[in-house]
Every structure is written in structure tokens, then in C-alpha cells.
Amino acid sequence: MEFRGIVAYNPRMTGFAAIIVAGGQGLRAGTARPKQWETLLGRRVIDWSVAAFMQHSGLKELIVVLDDPAVVDGFPETAKLVRGGGNRTESVRAGLAAVTLPAEAPVLIHDAARPGLDAATIEALLEALDSHDAAAPSLPVSDALKKRDNGLLVTVPRDRLHRVQTPQAFRLGTIRSALSDTATSFVDDLEAIEAQGGSVALVSGSLRLHKITYKEDFDVLSRLLSPLNSVPRVGKGFDVHAFEPGDHVTLCGVRIPHTAKLQGHSDADAAWHALTDAILGAAALGDIGDHFPPSDPRWKDADSAIFLKEAIRLAEEAGYRLTSCDITIICEAPKVKPHREAMRSSTASLTCLPLDAVSVKATTTEGLGFTGRREGIAAEAVAVLVPLA
């Protein structure tokens, strides 16, 4: 089997397909009906995953694989309902056959019994496909592992073991080829890629992706997915830079022609500086000066994208991810409105947010103050962060 290797991918341009495998009886869960149809915090278990995929701007096709599509309703009109096979691998093949995207398009294959899917996991998987044949979320093994060997208890080393979750991501053509032998079944879809010698990336998994197997798992996920465990954090940032001689200003990474430029140790992108401060503030991590002091020569003329990416990384390291932001630019000139959509797009791309989660606005001070006197530009930003798990 020949693997494609590195393939450039932009989910907002190309799009991806998602397959939710929802067949089987789930007898170990001890519920009156299959676990994927049971209610969890007011909606069916499967509907949590359907909503996570449908809310992602890159989704082009959603396939739901069922035992009998004719007797199940409540799905979006755009979803394709497909009859599954006798085992999981056969059901995945049926789902793959229903995808109409090109062979290079990504496809994410997910178990309906893992309701805690979020946009950050989807983004991480899509990004990992740029340089790997497959990707999956995983968690480290934290418990001690033992096995019985001739009546004795033996410790199993855990340093190279992984708890692999779903969704698992592939190029459509790659996974179709890996599963082409209809006589073979696999524990999961990654195993088919492993058998062919393909490269697999493991991205950070989440406790929220816990799989419902037993009845007590409903209680576990009710606690993990409860809104009380997802209280957002809000941060506000402010920045100001004076004008100096030049021919452009940089705002949200976009170069805007002007009769002056902004003075600063870095590229003086006041908008992204304010957003960086807002993210750090929401995570209670200090401010931009703490992490990138202007006295440090490393940041001389630095691209403010570096600061913003680092703030996002620090917030994630602290257990939070950015979900939306709102930037307000305060100046008399240059005119921001003609460049606003480019600024939104640039910010969305850098932060891995959907475009509708990024707001950029502009206002003036009606000729009052230093911005009214055209001495510089100010910017405010608000960032919303939520816990990773």
C-alpha cells in the first residue's frame, strides 16, 4: 500500500466527512435500549457527537451508520443514514462507501458511545493529517497495570502504552484502501493503517471522550459534560501604540497602507496585543509584558502572531482553550472597515477558531483624546476560554 504522506490541508476550503458508527446492542451497559439511544443530560447519547460535527465549519458530509436506518429519526436533514454490517469494520466500510468527497479529503470515524467530542479535538486531528496517514486522540495510562501469569501477578510496563479514543482521522482514499480486504476485521480503524505500515499521529485526548460501556459510565459522563464543569472564563485586553513615520500599520496580522506606522518594540500590532492580553488574563497568567518584555532583544520587530500563539499554548497548558474573541480598534485613521474581513480571517486562521467566533470592530473617539488627534491607535479585546476537560 502506498501512503500519500504530507498533504497540505485547509478544512475551511476543502472540508471533511464524518462517520458516526451507531450500530450494535451495547448489552454491557445494562440499559433498556442500546446505549447510543439512551438520554444523557437531556438528549440522546449520539446527538452529542452529531452536534459537535454539525457545528464545525469544515464539515461537508455526515454519515450515520445504523442497524436499521428506517426506524430511526431525529437527525439533521443533511445527514446520510446508512445500514451497517455484521461487525464494526463492516459498518465502517458501509459508511465509507457513502462518502462522495475526493480521495484526498479527510474523514473522521467516530463511535456514537463517545459523546464528549469538541471542536478542539476535531481541529487537532485535521492538522495532524498534514504529516501523517492517520491520527487519533489518546490519553496516557495512569494506573498501574498487572496481569496474571501462571498464577502470579506481574507488572506490565506502561511507559509506551496509550489509551486510544475516537474520532480517528484518515484520508478517504487511504482508509478505503486499508479496509479493502472484506475478509478482515479490526479492533479499530487505526489497526488497518498499522498493518500497512502507515504513520499514525496521536493527539491529546480528553476525559470527556470517555466511552460508555457500562451503566455507571452514564454517571461519569453526566458529571464531565455538565455545564457546571464548563464554566467559561472571560478576559479583557487593552493596548495602545503611537504613530511614527512610515507607510503602513499592521492590525490583526493584516498590512494596511497608511501615512504613518505604529511605534513599538515588536511589529506594534495593537489588536493582536490586546487579544494576547485578553487570553492571558482569562487564564490568570499575567500579561503580555510578563511573557514578552520589550527590554528583551528577542522580540525586536517580532511578528505578533508569535505572542498570540504562545498565549493560546499557555492557556491550553493551564487547562483552557479559546472559543471566541471580540476585538475593537479605536482610531480616526486608517479606515478599518475595508480590511475587517481580512482581519477576521487572519485571526480565525491563527487561533483555529471558526470565522463566526471571531469579531473585529472599529470605532472613533469623535476627535477626542490622542486617537482623536490621530496620534496613535488603541485596541480592546475580549476572549472567552472554556476548560479543556
Side-chain angles (χ1 to χ4, degrees):
M1 180 179 188
E2 181 180 354
F3 290 99
R4 298 289 298 174
I6 299 175
V7 182
Y9 169 68
N10 184 333
R12 294 177 182 82
M13 294 178 62
T14 306
F16 68 92
I19 297 173
I20 301 177
V21 183
Q25 297 301 307
L27 298 178
R28 288 180 292 175
T31 51
R33 52 186 172 174
K35 57 192 177 185
Q36 59 271 30
W37 310 118
E38 286 292 328
T39 300
L40 177 67
L41 296 177
R43 55 179 167 176
R44 297 178 303 184
V45 168
I46 189 172
D47 292 335
W48 287 82
S49 298
V50 170
F53 281 126
M54 292 296 294
Q55 290 167 6
H56 196 287
S57 61
L59 180 73
K60 297 301 181 184
E61 293 184 3
L62 176 65
I63 317 295
V64 183
V65 186
L66 309 162
D67 289 333
D68 186 355
V71 299
V72 179
D73 56 15
F75 290 104
E77 292 184 1
T78 55
K80 298 181 184 179
L81 307 186
V82 175
R83 185 181 296 274
N87 58 46
R88 189 186 185 284
T89 301
E90 290 178 4
S91 293
V92 170
R93 290 192 185 104
L96 290 169
V99 179
T100 62
L101 297 182
E104 293 298 337
V107 57
L108 274 61
I109 304 173
H110 187 49
D111 292 333
R114 295 184 186 271
L117 180 61
D118 59 25
T121 300
I122 295 172
E123 290 286 350
L125 292 169
L126 294 172
E127 183 176 345
L129 281 185
D130 283 346
S131 53
H132 294 83
D133 300 304
S138 76
L139 293 174
V141 177
S142 56
D143 297 321
L145 297 178
K146 309 283 184 177
K147 69 175 181 178
R148 290 284 182 184
D149 192 357
N150 294 324
L152 299 176
L153 200 60
V154 178
T155 298
V156 177
R158 64 189 182 190
D159 56 320
R160 291 190 293 174
L161 298 180
H162 303 273
R163 294 168 53 195
V164 177
Q165 302 172 313
T166 69
Q168 296 177 356
F170 313 87
R171 294 286 168 179
L172 179 59
T174 300
I175 189 61
R176 277 179 172 166
S177 178
L179 296 178
S180 60
D181 182 359
T182 57
T184 305
S185 295
F186 299 96
V187 172
D188 68 358
D189 309 303
L190 279 189
E191 187 181 8
I193 301 299
E194 296 162 14
Q196 301 287 345
S199 64
V200 177
L202 295 179
V203 304
S204 295
S206 170
L207 294 176
R208 293 163 59 93
L209 278 172
H210 181 74
K211 184 178 181 181
I212 296 176
T213 303
Y214 304 104
K215 195 166 186 176
E216 54 266 31
D217 291 326
F218 282 91
D219 291 333
V220 171
L221 279 162
S222 291
R223 290 193 296 271
L224 288 172
L225 301 181
S226 170
L228 294 177
N229 292 326
S230 303
V231 176
R233 291 217 179 174
V234 178
K236 183 177 180 180
F238 178 82
D239 192 50
V240 59
H241 286 278
F243 285 130
E244 66 179 8
D247 61 2
H248 75 279
V249 298
T250 299
L251 294 170
C252 293
V254 175
R255 182 183 173 112
I256 301 174
H258 189 48
T259 56
K261 70 174 184 176
L262 290 174
Q263 184 180 39
H265 188 63
S266 62
D267 62 3
D269 189 330
W272 274 2
H273 288 183
L275 180 55
T276 299
D277 248 358
I279 294 168
L280 292 171
L285 294 172
D287 60 35
I288 192 170
D290 295 330
H291 299 276
F292 308 102
S295 58
D296 190 333
R298 288 182 299 168
W299 313 126
K300 176 66 175 174
D301 299 323
D303 186 338
S304 292
I306 297 172
F307 307 157
L308 185 51
K309 286 181 178 179
E310 179 65 4
I312 292 171
R313 187 194 70 79
L314 289 169
E316 290 178 347
E317 191 176 77
Y320 298 92
R321 65 179 175 87
L322 179 68
T323 60
S324 64
C325 62
D326 181 18
I327 301 170
T328 301
I329 298 164
I330 307 163
C331 64
E332 299 290 333
K335 295 297 183 183
V336 170
K337 189 173 182 179
H339 308 280
R340 186 171 60 191
E341 292 309 306
M343 294 160 70
R344 291 180 66 209
S345 179
S346 176
T347 304
S349 177
L350 185 71
T351 58
C352 292
L353 289 175
L355 189 60
D356 62 5
V358 176
S359 170
V360 175
K361 311 189 300 292
T363 189
T364 72
T365 56
E366 302 293 339
L368 301 176
F370 76 92
T371 59
R373 295 190 297 270
R374 302 180 183 237
E375 296 173 359
I377 290 178
E380 293 183 331
V382 174
V384 179
L385 275 60
V386 297
L388 286 170

